[in-house]
Amino acid sequence: MNKRWLARSAAVAIACLPALISFEALQAQPAIAQTASNRLKSLEVTAEGQLLLRTDQPVQFDWRPDIGGNYQLSLLNTQLPLNFRTLPPPLTLLRLDVNRQGNDVVINLRTRSGSRLETPVITPEGLLSLTLPKLASVPTLSTAPPSFLSITPSFGAAPQPAQTGLPPLSRPAVIVIDPGHGGRDPGAIGIGGIRETDIVLDISTQVTRLLQAQGAQVVMTRQDDREVDLAPRVAIAQRARATVFVSIHANALSMSRPDVNGLETYFFTAASRPLAQAIQDRMMQSFPDMRNRGVKQARFYVIRQTSMPSSLVEVGFVTGAQDAARLADPTFRSQMAQAIAAGILDFLNR
């Protein structure tokens, strides 16, 4: 999940880990600095190990290495679009920041211990290229569409109560299930190219079918890979006069921290805490070997702006070595859906 959920809120090449990460500006934006004559369009790491900075026209640059593995690459007289999207750095870098300074775009990089970046050279294709030594025994990361994990949710007939192992709903309820992200916003992208948007849509679809089988009226904020902004998600819940609202996400940290794994659930109001706790308890009962990161209060927009008990669930880290393997497994996703549905029913049947 990215920080967008907390509030409303020519090319240069670097040889590095054989992977593909895309950092694309969503659309053309007005110039940030009116005197800048160029524009950074996207940043991506190709499968051939090139970190490409695409600009409207060939770019002039300034390269500043220093002792300690820190490097600064400045794209001179270049605009940075307001909605330029970034993702965690590849595993061969500890830092990859893109910022605006005056009329320039400044990219700060930091290598791992024992590796260094060479002085940029011009390739025959007119690209600027830096060579970064490869790390040994690092997982391959790819976010190229052909390499994405294919997760297709099923919208078939809802299972019968006897098949779910869940208790029937004891009172009428309208439940809004909110699969995070979607469309141009894939959410976090993790090990092996798994995408948060695909994972949470599959789990959310299964949660919906399970709850329908127990007699609940369920509304999903999206049923396919489309972009839905935050305010419309809240509006859907408000218009439906939902009894509860549950937003389902997958967590992420830097790709350099595959050791961070676990489950956590968020609430904003005191009335929402029991819902979050019920879901967290069921997840931990189903997956006792996963790290319990607890129930926490947070100001995520969709749980702060809804008027009914609301919770945001993080079903594991796409960047975690243990969690990513689980999230890529259809059996795990089905078990996770069962746990979340059980937690919701526990809350409603109190």
Side-chain angles (χ1 to χ4, degrees), residues 66-108:
D66 73 15
I67 298 173
N70 295 300
Y71 300 82
Q72 186 176 91
L73 175 63
S74 298
L75 308 183
L76 306 179
N77 200 28
T78 301
Q79 305 166 16
L80 181 67
L82 293 174
N83 58 354
F84 190 82
R85 179 178 293 167
T86 61
L87 291 174
L91 291 179
T92 43
L93 293 176
L94 293 175
R95 180 186 183 190
L96 176 59
D97 298 334
V98 182
N99 299 287
R100 177 176 63 90
Q101 290 186 11
N103 285 345
D104 303 334
V105 173
V106 176
I107 300 158
N108 293 298

Side-chain angles (χ1 to χ4, degrees), residues 327-340:
L327 292 167
D329 181 4
T331 300
F332 172 86
R333 297 195 300 271
S334 294
Q335 294 170 343
M336 178 59 71
Q338 183 95 1
I340 293 172

Side-chain angles (χ1 to χ4, degrees), residues 44-338:
E44 62 189 47
V45 181
T46 72
E48 292 75 28
Q50 300 294 313
L51 179 58
L52 300 177
L53 282 78
R54 300 191 181 278
T55 53
D56 286 334
Q57 54 188 302
V59 65
Q60 294 183 329
F61 72 96
D62 178 58
W63 173 248
R64 297 185 182 182
D66 73 15
I67 298 173
N70 295 300
Y71 300 82
Q72 186 176 91
L73 175 63
S74 298
L75 308 183
L76 306 179
N77 200 28
T78 301
Q79 305 166 16
L80 181 67
L82 293 174
N83 58 354
F84 190 82
R85 179 178 293 167
T86 61
L87 291 174
L91 291 179
T92 43
L93 293 176
L94 293 175
R95 180 186 183 190
L96 176 59
D97 298 334
V98 182
N99 299 287
R100 177 176 63 90
Q101 290 186 11
N103 285 345
D104 303 334
V105 173
V106 176
I107 300 158
N108 293 298
L109 309 100
R110 180 176 176 82
T111 60
R112 293 180 178 275
S113 176
S115 65
R116 63 191 179 94
L117 296 172
E118 302 293 340
T119 303
V121 297
I122 303 295
T123 69
E125 296 78 17
L127 307 180
L128 286 174
S129 178
L130 300 175
T131 301
L132 182 65
K134 298 178 182 179
L135 293 177
S137 302
V138 295
T140 299
L141 170 67
S142 175
T143 63
S147 301
F148 283 154
L149 176 68
S150 177
I151 300 174
T152 304
S154 171
F155 286 92
Q160 298 302 309
Q163 297 175 298
T164 66
L166 299 173
L169 187 61
S170 62
R171 60 187 175 97
V174 177
I175 303 167
V176 172
I177 300 297
D178 175 43
H181 307 281
R184 294 183 299 175
D185 174 20
I189 299 177
I191 295 172
I194 58 175
R195 305 195 309 170
E196 180 181 1
T197 181
D198 301 326
I199 291 165
V200 301
L201 179 59
D202 183 44
I203 292 173
S204 297
T205 301
Q206 296 188 58
V207 169
T208 295
R209 297 175 66 233
L210 289 167
L211 292 172
Q212 288 173 336
Q214 309 316 116
Q217 180 182 347
V218 186
V219 177
M220 294 182 69
T221 58
R222 67 179 179 97
Q223 298 185 21
D224 52 25
D225 188 22
R226 69 180 62 193
E227 184 173 16
V228 182
D229 209 349
L230 302 183
R233 295 171 191 260
V234 172
I236 289 170
Q238 298 296 114
R239 285 197 303 268
R241 297 183 179 180
T243 312
V244 296
F245 173 93
V246 176
S247 188
I248 300 176
H249 289 256
N251 227 329
L253 199 61
S254 169
M255 291 294 292
S256 64
R257 294 296 307 276
D259 56 304
V260 178
N261 299 269
L263 303 170
E264 58 193 9
T265 309
Y266 291 91
F267 68 96
F268 178 63
T269 66
S272 297
R273 180 165 192 149
L275 172 62
Q277 189 66 61
I279 295 172
Q280 183 74 11
D281 288 346
R282 281 289 194 165
M283 289 195 299
M284 294 315 305
Q285 289 173 20
S286 298
F287 307 104
D289 57 332
M290 295 184 70
R291 182 184 173 190
N292 187 349
R293 297 176 61 88
V295 172
K296 306 171 183 178
Q297 187 174 32
R299 294 177 58 83
F300 295 120
Y301 184 88
V302 293
I303 60 174
R304 178 165 52 90
Q305 295 295 325
T306 41
S307 60
M308 69 290 303
S310 303
S311 178
L312 189 147
V313 184
E314 297 280 8
V315 297
F317 282 76
V318 297
T319 52
Q322 297 173 357
D323 287 358
R326 292 185 175 105
L327 292 167
D329 181 4
T331 300
F332 172 86
R333 297 195 300 271
S334 294
Q335 294 170 343
M336 178 59 71
Q338 183 95 1

